[in-house]
Amino acid sequence: MNEAIKIIIYYGALFTPYRILAYFPFYKRLRLPLASSVIIFLCCNIIQYSLMALAVLNGINIRAVEFISSLLCIIMYFSLINENPFKLLFFYIFTMDMVIVIRGITVFLQYTFFDISYTTEIILHTICFICFLPFILIMFKKITTIIFEVDAPKLWHTIWILPFVTTAIVLIFTYNLNPVGIYGKQFILARLLLIIVTILIYGSLLHALLSIKEHIILKEKTSSADKLITMYINQYNMLQNHITEIRKARHDLRQHINLIQAYIDKNDSKALSEYLALYKTTMPKDIKTGYCANYAVDAVLGWYGQIAEENNIEFTTDVRLPQKLNIPEPTLCVLFGNLLENSIEACKNTKIKKPFIKVHSIIIGDNALSLTIDNTCENAPLYKDGALMSTKHKGKGCGTYSVREIAARYNGIADFSFKDNVFFASVILYLDCN
């Protein structure tokens, strides 16, 4: 019994730190509450370590048991975390590579320089783990950042294959952990080459994924810049047409005054009243400008305000932003434009009478921009994997995804909620944290 407990502690000390690290970046994406997930995690690990102890005590091939145990861990990992399975597989393979490398180095050192015992291996393994931990954490941060920010399903379906094949080859050639194999140079060389190859592969893949991310951001900025230019042109044309109409009205005003004077001289109040009512319908419509001092935001509000008016949507704003902000104009266009476009779509597709859009934006303190947009929304939005689903196409909503990405870029938050047929969008950005 004591021997079984020693073996359970031994495997727990070897594998548990890596498994905790594998779960840690996704603790906010668990399918179950954190407490329930921790209990399931501990129970499964205890069961696995107990089975491995049973295998050792009964002379069963422990390597085979370890592989089966690893498969059970992967199944539990995928079951508990709510994330794209191929992204999880990519991340889990890196974690497994760290186990293989550090454990291989530990076993080599133990068989070469120290006595063979559970205690010695645990101590050596802990020292090696601590030495490698800074590198592991740096890589974890880079990989998880890419996982959370790069949404390219076809790429994730295949990108895990290269590190998986490399790991499989090393495992095949170092499968037998007998003392003769461990003393040999082949074993330690294979493990050291694995870590070199791991660094090269993951470094190259991360670089490629970062390039893809930057390409997506650049494409989005170009698109938003084009949209902003279109809005500027639209505003300019609208103002030009309005000026032309006013000039024409001023030119015709003398004739209208003469006719009005004639009705007054005749004391024909009925005819005068009818004529004035008719004249009002021919006057140029006022166009609302000057939503705020910032020209980019003003152009976006003018654009969507015009669309709202054409669709009988009540459009009210309280936007108090300065002329200059520490945010590029294309980014402002994306932020306001995506939220307002979604609001317009929701109001146009509703059967609720008197749909509305309310925009409020101010600078809080010295460096925080606050933006809230409330709009009529007939149906509650759908969520999947913590992201809003699009109502225009299959998959996640691109607009809200872009807004969340901008909020993250400025160390802010983007929150979306729904209550009583109203959709609430709230964003805070910290302007000096980009």
Side-chain angles (χ1 to χ4, degrees):
M1 185 65 181
N2 290 336
E3 188 67 18
I5 293 173
K6 285 182 181 179
I7 298 172
I8 292 171
I9 294 172
Y10 164 75
Y11 280 110
L14 290 186
F15 296 123
T16 305
Y18 302 97
R19 292 178 180 177
I20 292 173
L21 283 175
Y23 279 89
F24 181 73
F26 306 99
Y27 74 96
K28 290 184 178 180
R29 304 195 176 200
L30 296 171
R31 298 182 188 274
L32 301 174
L34 181 60
S36 302
S37 299
V38 170
I39 292 171
I40 293 172
F41 173 83
L42 292 174
C43 291
C44 288
N45 276 276
I46 291 170
I47 292 171
Q48 289 169 10
Y49 300 149
S50 300
L51 291 173
M52 292 165 80
L54 189 64
V56 171
L57 294 173
N58 289 277
I60 301 172
N61 188 334
I62 189 59
R63 294 292 280 161
V65 176
E66 285 182 3
F67 276 113
I68 295 171
S69 174
S70 296
L71 290 174
L72 293 174
C73 284
I74 293 174
I75 293 170
M76 181 180 69
Y77 191 64
F78 284 15
S79 301
L80 289 178
I81 299 174
N82 188 13
E83 184 53 88
N84 183 309
F86 294 102
K87 291 183 177 182
L88 289 179
L89 190 58
F90 181 79
F91 185 76
Y92 195 86
I93 291 170
F94 176 77
T95 308
M96 189 167 64
D97 285 344
M98 293 302 99
V99 177
I100 295 168
V101 169
I102 297 174
R103 192 181 177 200
I105 293 172
T106 301
V107 174
F108 175 79
L109 292 174
Q110 182 187 13
Y111 274 82
T112 307
F113 303 106
F114 301 95
D115 63 300
I116 301 172
S117 68
Y118 293 135
T119 304
T120 304
E121 186 172 347
I122 290 172
I123 294 171
L124 285 172
H125 184 271
T126 304
I127 294 171
C128 290
F129 176 78
I130 293 171
C131 292
F132 275 88
L133 187 59
F135 165 75
I136 295 173
L137 293 177
I138 291 170
M139 291 297 293
F140 269 29
K141 185 177 180 180
K142 289 182 178 181
I143 294 171
T144 51
T145 300
I146 294 299
I147 286 173
F148 294 149
E149 294 184 3
V150 177
D151 191 18
K154 290 183 179 179
L155 180 66
W156 287 112
H157 285 177
T158 56
I159 202 169
W160 60 273
I161 296 175
L162 184 58
F164 173 78
V165 170
T166 306
T167 304
I169 291 171
V170 173
L171 285 174
I172 290 169
F173 280 96
T174 62
Y175 178 82
N176 187 15
L177 281 177
N178 60 71
V180 175
I182 294 170
Y183 275 125
K185 294 178 181 179
Q186 179 185 354
F187 175 82
I188 190 63
L189 184 62
R191 299 294 168 122
L192 290 175
L193 285 174
L194 174 61
I195 191 168
I196 294 171
V197 171
T198 299
I199 293 170
L200 292 174
I201 289 175
Y202 278 88
S204 301
L205 293 178
L206 290 177
H207 179 73
L209 289 169
L210 282 171
S211 299
I212 291 170
K213 178 191 170 185
E214 289 172 1
H215 174 73
I216 292 170
I217 292 173
L218 183 61
K219 185 178 178 181
E220 183 181 84
K221 284 182 177 179
T222 304
S223 175
S224 60
D226 290 342
K227 185 181 288 187
L228 187 58
I229 290 169
T230 303
M231 289 179 184
Y232 286 157
I233 294 172
N234 178 73
Q235 290 286 83
Y236 176 79
N237 291 336
M238 194 163 54
L239 287 170
Q240 284 290 95
N241 292 335
H242 188 64
I243 290 169
T244 302
E245 289 177 1
I246 289 175
R247 282 176 179 171
K248 183 181 177 182
R250 286 182 63 185
H251 180 269
D252 297 337
L253 184 59
R254 185 179 298 174
Q255 306 303 324
H256 292 299
I257 291 173
N258 291 336
L259 188 56
I260 290 169
Q261 186 63 49
Y263 283 129
I264 292 173
D265 293 342
K266 291 180 181 180
N267 199 22
D268 191 349
S269 58
K270 182 180 179 182
L272 177 60
S273 178
E274 290 175 353
Y275 177 74
L276 289 174
L278 180 64
Y279 177 56
K280 285 180 182 178
T281 62
T282 64
M283 292 179 65
K285 289 184 179 180
D286 289 333
I287 59 170
K288 186 174 180 181
T289 58
Y291 288 94
C292 75
N294 186 276
Y295 194 65
V297 175
D298 187 63
V300 175
L301 292 172
W303 172 277
Y304 288 102
Q306 184 73 16
I307 296 173
E309 183 181 348
E310 292 170 358
N311 289 274
N312 297 316
I313 300 168
E314 182 185 346
F315 190 78
T316 57
T317 66
D318 180 15
V319 180
R320 288 169 278 173
L321 297 180
Q323 185 176 1
K324 292 185 178 181
L325 287 168
N326 189 24
I327 303 179
E329 287 189 348
T331 303
L332 283 172
C333 176
V334 171
L335 179 63
F336 280 81
N338 282 336
L339 293 177
L340 285 170
E341 187 172 340
N342 290 343
S343 299
I344 292 287
E345 284 294 322
C347 290
K348 286 168 67 176
N349 295 328
T350 185
K351 295 179 182 178
I352 299 172
K353 294 181 179 179
K354 297 181 179 180
F356 66 86
I357 297 173
K358 296 179 180 179
V359 185
H360 179 77
S361 184
I362 58 172
I363 298 295
I364 302 173
D366 295 327
N367 68 334
L369 184 151
S370 169
L371 168 64
T372 62
I373 299 181
D374 308 335
N375 62 269
T376 304
C377 185
E378 189 168 358
N379 300 311
L382 299 175
Y383 287 84
K384 185 178 180 181
D385 298 340
L388 277 168
M389 302 302 289
S390 174
T391 57
K392 303 173 189 175
H393 57 80
K394 291 183 179 180
K396 298 177 183 178
C398 297
T400 51
Y401 177 82
S402 295
V403 171
R404 288 187 188 276
E405 192 274 330
I406 291 171
R409 203 187 311 163
Y410 286 87
N411 287 355
I413 57 170
D415 182 67
F416 307 103
S417 59
F418 175 84
K419 185 179 180 181
D420 298 332
N421 296 119
V422 179
F423 183 80
F424 303 93
S426 304
V427 181
I428 291 180
L429 308 181
Y430 293 95
L431 306 185
D432 60 352
C433 294
N434 187 17

